[in-house]
Amino acid sequence: MIQVDEAEKIILALAKDYGQELVPFEQALGRVLAEDLRTDRDLPPFNRVAMDGIAIRYEGFAQGHRTFTIKSTQAAGDAPAVLETATECIEIMTGAALPPSADTVIRYEDLEIQDGEATLLTEHVKQGQNVHEQGKDKKKYDVVAQANQVISPALLGIAAAVGATELPVKKLPKVVLISTGDELVPVHQPPLPHQIRQSNSYLVQAALQQYALQPDLLHLPDDLSVTRMHLAECLQQYDVIIMSGGISMGKFDYVPQALEELQVEKLFHKVKQRPGKPFWFGRHAGGTLVFALPGNPVSTFMCLHRYFLPWLEASLGISGKSGLFAALSQEVTFNPPLQYFLQVKISVNEKGQLLATPFAGNGSGDFSNLVEADAFLELPAEQNSFRAGEVYRVWPFKRLFY
Ligand code: AMP
Ligand code: MG
């Protein structure tokens, strides 16, 4: 049995870059940008009018003119009009390209318009006002988004703005989720009183969707030869196998045996933690990694967040959820010499600190409690009592801020 941080080290040492590929930008949400994204032109691409009103030459105002003859009207999207004298103006709308012969925009609120003339109601006019200058945000070919970040709605919008209709993204590993257990029935089938619904695959699949990773699903009975046969195939086809169940001391827990018979090198079996103690991890000579997680859904979920997702993030070159800390809001006692992953609610206190409030429900195995909890707080095995205000690593499994 090994410690949590040893298990983490072994797993993270096997993080792997799977290369990159181009995808249509509309499908890139949640993927990791593989190269810096640059603009194809200045941003804004022209001197952009920022208020509805009139465009003038400041020179006219400086010379004392307060009434300007409206020469024409220019909407957003119209080619720029031409201003010939400093006593003329163009009625112009937000988003329009400022004519090269004008330099200043006065908003409607500061004008009176009558009989084709615009008269100023203000003496406060600055040269260049209400114009968003060409290239002020970014110059042509500037980086607008750095590589190695998750493609967010904002990044997707910028990609659209700079015409990046295909984006280079990190390739995702090919993953299969294998649930095991004779007691499990498909979710669409009514279970007999002694059966339960197979839920782990959906739990894990949903968590992987945050990374736009779409795994294949497979269910296996508690049968050594069937398990061995399917695993042999999966070892050929996938980069990662995530299993749930069948790794404990039960008479029908065949997974470790099947894996070892297939030359999957066991890198550890059992971690000093609760939940999730029976966790088995290994690597096949062909490179496939096997995360064989305990079947208890809370254990599966915890191990996914504590081990698989950090491995995935390291493989994709992002640090996402690792390295977050929160302060405990009240005292907690936990006696067994195991790292305890306490279910908590997360809030932010008046000092701007992340605060973790225990929300343990019916103990570490309470599956339905995960719906209300926000995160696991990782309490070290070496301590039995944990005081309010002490800071520990936290593993969020919900969107916390939006
Ligand atoms: P195991 O690790 O196979 O001993 O399973 C531990 C517990 O988790 C048992 O109560 C199983 O019925 C339950 N379990 C295992 N796999 C799943 C699954 N895919 N969905 C829901 N519960 C499961
Ligand atoms: Mg089982």
Side-chain angles (χ1 to χ4, degrees):
M1 190 141 54
I2 65 170
Q3 311 265 15
V4 169
D5 41 348
E6 293 173 73
E8 175 184 44
K9 245 188 234 150
I10 292 169
I11 290 171
L12 290 183
L14 294 170
K16 178 179 165 183
D17 185 346
Y18 289 90
Q20 64 184 69
E21 62 187 337
L22 278 175
V23 296
F25 83 107
E26 301 101 309
Q27 292 165 25
L29 190 69
R31 301 292 298 268
V32 173
L33 189 66
E35 286 172 22
D36 290 347
L37 177 64
R38 293 172 184 274
T39 62
D40 63 333
R41 52 184 193 154
D42 289 347
L43 287 183
F46 47 78
N47 289 326
R48 195 175 59 88
V49 171
M51 284 282 178
D52 299 318
I54 59 167
I56 61 162
R57 277 192 213 167
Y58 182 76
E59 188 195 329
F61 177 81
Q63 287 164 0
H65 295 292
R66 295 296 179 266
T67 298
F68 298 84
T69 308
I70 299 171
K71 199 185 164 215
S72 61
T73 302
Q74 187 189 329
D78 287 349
V82 178
L83 207 54
E84 264 140 25
T85 71
T87 56
E88 286 175 342
C89 69
I90 287 157
E91 234 184 303
I92 201 155
M93 307 303 140
T94 303
L98 187 73
S101 47
D103 57 7
T104 300
V105 172
I106 299 152
R107 55 183 197 158
Y108 278 134
E109 290 87 331
D110 294 332
L111 297 172
E112 192 175 79
I113 295 192
Q114 217 167 26
D115 303 328
E117 307 227 293
T119 303
L120 266 60
L121 304 174
T122 178
E123 280 301 310
H124 300 284
V125 175
K126 275 202 222 137
Q127 188 166 24
Q129 72 177 25
N130 299 326
V131 177
H132 192 178
E133 198 186 317
Q134 174 171 349
K136 183 143 196 237
D137 297 347
K138 297 283 173 194
K139 295 278 183 260
K140 186 173 179 173
Y141 302 137
D142 273 357
V143 173
V144 283
Q146 287 189 338
N148 299 319
Q149 62 171 309
V150 176
I151 296 173
S152 62
L155 205 163
L156 207 78
I158 282 292
V162 303
T165 53
E166 283 193 315
L167 288 174
V169 297
K170 299 279 177 80
K171 269 194 191 163
L172 292 162
K174 277 192 79 185
V175 177
V176 60
L177 307 182
I178 306 180
S179 54
T180 69
D182 287 343
E183 75 280 28
L184 303 170
V185 297
V187 286
H188 300 292
Q189 180 181 317
L192 296 171
H194 54 277
Q195 294 178 321
I196 57 168
R197 295 190 180 90
Q198 196 289 98
S199 59
N200 279 346
S201 301
Y202 302 97
L203 182 71
V204 174
Q205 185 183 36
L208 299 187
Q209 270 169 13
Q210 301 168 63
Y211 300 85
L213 199 161
Q214 198 50 258
D216 290 336
L217 306 189
L218 181 65
H219 181 75
L220 298 178
D222 292 317
D223 178 294
L224 180 59
S225 66
V226 176
T227 301
R228 206 171 33 214
M229 185 182 80
H230 284 281
L231 278 175
E233 255 177 51
C234 289
L235 286 168
Q236 300 306 314
Q237 287 179 26
Y238 294 96
D239 300 309
V240 177
I241 299 176
I242 300 178
M243 306 191 68
S244 76
I247 53 166
S248 304
M249 302 296 286
K251 212 167 168 185
F252 307 102
D253 288 341
Y254 294 120
V255 169
Q257 188 186 340
L259 288 167
E260 282 164 49
E261 286 177 15
L262 292 165
Q263 269 76 53
V264 181
E265 183 194 357
K266 176 178 85 178
L267 296 174
F268 61 78
H269 188 188
K270 295 197 180 133
V271 181
K272 288 184 189 160
Q273 61 185 10
R274 181 176 297 168
K277 193 160 112 190
F279 180 22
W280 190 106
F281 177 72
R283 179 182 48 179
H284 188 241
T288 304
L289 299 181
V290 183
F291 293 77
L293 312 181
N296 174 305
V298 179
S299 307
T300 306
F301 201 58
M302 190 287 278
C303 290
L304 184 82
H305 284 83
R306 182 64 183 86
Y307 301 103
F308 177 74
L309 297 183
W311 172 86
L312 180 65
E313 292 188 343
S315 296
L316 295 173
I318 53 172
S319 64
K321 292 196 181 71
S322 308
L324 287 179
F325 292 83
L328 194 54
S329 72
Q330 67 193 59
E331 191 180 325
V332 171
T333 306
F334 181 74
N335 288 319
L338 301 169
Q339 202 103 323
Y340 184 44
F341 289 84
L342 174 69
Q343 292 185 43
V344 294
K345 292 285 275 183
I346 295 289
S347 56
V348 180
N349 71 11
E350 65 284 356
K351 289 187 203 141
Q353 273 181 314
L354 273 196
L355 214 58
T357 302
F359 194 79
N362 207 13
S364 65
D366 187 348
F367 184 19
S368 61
N369 198 60
L370 288 178
V371 175
E372 292 302 324
D374 296 320
F376 293 108
L377 189 70
E378 184 173 339
L379 301 175
E382 302 73 40
Q383 266 171 260
N384 296 334
S385 70
F386 306 90
R387 282 188 304 233
E390 290 178 353
V391 171
Y392 299 104
R393 285 182 94 171
V394 73
W395 302 90
F397 47 78
K398 285 221 191 108
R399 290 179 177 177
L400 295 177
F401 301 115
Y402 65 100

